[in-house]
Amino acid sequence: MTYYSFDDIINIEKIKDMLSMLSFCLSLIKTEQEKLLIEELYNKNKQTMYNIAYSNLHNRDDAEDAVQEAILRAINQIDKISQISPDKQCTYLNVIVRNISFDMFNRKVNHLSLEEDAEIYDQTVLEDQAIGNVNYDSLVEYIRSLPQGMRDALYLKYCLEFTNEEIAQSLNISPCALRNRLFAARNKIKDHIKN
């Protein structure tokens, strides 16, 4: 007869919960190919996503909820995700779970909402001529020093080429808040280039 410790039973229950969560998420997908993609992404990235969420939330249940929410958002963007490379798919999931965990943490400690009321119109990408005058390494280093929310918005917009609506939905922010982030990030980059 095999005896299980209390921790073993809890871990077995958590595994059952995660499998049932994956089954539920897969039931929302239309085609078998999309199901396989989501299942592969989940299996390949679940531990990394969990670690990212746990590092922000410091709570197992909340971290698992964040991973589940990230998978649900990935399902909502399955058409776009299926068109990008596997490395970028992993990065996308990491960005999404990080933002979800930040949002969960902020709600937990009753911080101010990330939403802003001001309407700022979307601007075009920096002029090629100005970029040509800046050292590439210096620019990359400066972009890495920007706040995480700005970096994530820039990455999804310019590297993965998501639309503003897709980015706002993925980051769970309003289109207005996204435009504010992109506007602020581009202005910071322009100021850096001018200096």
Side-chain angles (χ1 to χ4, degrees):
M1 180 176 232
T2 304
Y3 293 97
Y4 293 102
S5 70
F6 182 71
D7 287 340
D8 290 336
I9 293 170
I10 289 175
N11 287 336
I12 291 169
E13 288 302 314
K14 293 221 180 272
I15 291 169
K16 286 180 183 176
D17 287 346
M18 291 183 87
L19 290 174
S20 66
M21 182 276 300
L22 181 59
S23 297
F24 169 74
C25 291
L26 292 175
S27 72
L28 301 174
I29 303 173
K30 300 170 195 155
T31 69
E32 194 61 35
Q33 184 179 5
E34 290 173 346
K35 285 181 185 181
L36 291 173
L37 175 62
I38 291 296
E39 189 172 4
E40 179 184 333
L41 284 172
Y42 174 78
N43 289 329
K44 184 177 175 184
N45 298 292
K46 65 184 170 190
Q47 190 61 51
T48 303
M49 291 190 307
Y50 175 83
N51 292 342
I52 290 169
Y54 188 82
S55 71
N56 293 319
L57 298 167
H58 308 289
N59 178 294
R60 283 183 174 182
D61 293 333
D62 290 345
E64 289 169 0
D65 289 346
V67 170
Q68 180 177 353
E69 179 65 25
I71 294 299
L72 289 172
R73 290 189 193 175
I75 290 170
N76 285 334
Q77 298 292 334
I78 192 69
D79 293 336
K80 193 74 169 181
I81 292 172
S82 63
Q83 297 174 8
I84 59 179
S85 72
D87 289 343
K88 289 184 178 182
Q89 292 169 345
C90 294
T91 304
Y92 170 80
L93 289 173
N94 293 342
V95 167
I96 298 310
V97 79
R98 184 176 48 245
N99 278 280
I100 290 167
S101 60
F102 285 159
D103 287 347
M104 290 172 71
F105 179 81
N106 286 335
R107 278 194 300 269
K108 234 179 185 180
V109 294
N110 296 322
H111 279 214
L112 296 175
S113 169
L114 295 176
E115 302 279 320
E116 295 182 20
D117 294 329
E119 178 89 23
I120 300 174
Y121 294 102
D122 205 11
Q123 293 184 336
T124 59
V125 184
L126 298 171
E127 293 83 14
D128 292 336
Q129 188 178 58
I131 290 176
N133 296 331
V134 175
N135 178 327
Y136 176 78
D137 292 334
S138 169
L139 182 60
V140 169
E141 196 58 39
Y142 180 75
I143 291 171
R144 286 184 180 151
S145 74
L146 292 174
Q148 188 67 53
M150 287 182 184
R151 288 195 319 258
D152 291 345
L154 289 170
Y155 177 78
L156 293 173
K157 177 78 174 173
Y158 298 108
C159 294
L160 296 185
E161 299 178 349
F162 278 34
T163 66
N164 284 0
E165 293 78 23
E166 291 167 336
I167 298 168
Q169 183 180 10
S170 295
L171 298 179
N172 196 30
I173 60 176
S174 71
C176 179
L178 173 65
R179 287 191 301 273
N180 288 339
R181 277 189 196 179
L182 291 170
F183 179 79
R186 285 190 297 260
N187 279 341
K188 285 180 179 269
I189 293 169
K190 284 180 186 178
D191 290 342
H192 175 72
I193 289 172
K194 287 178 185 176
N195 299 329

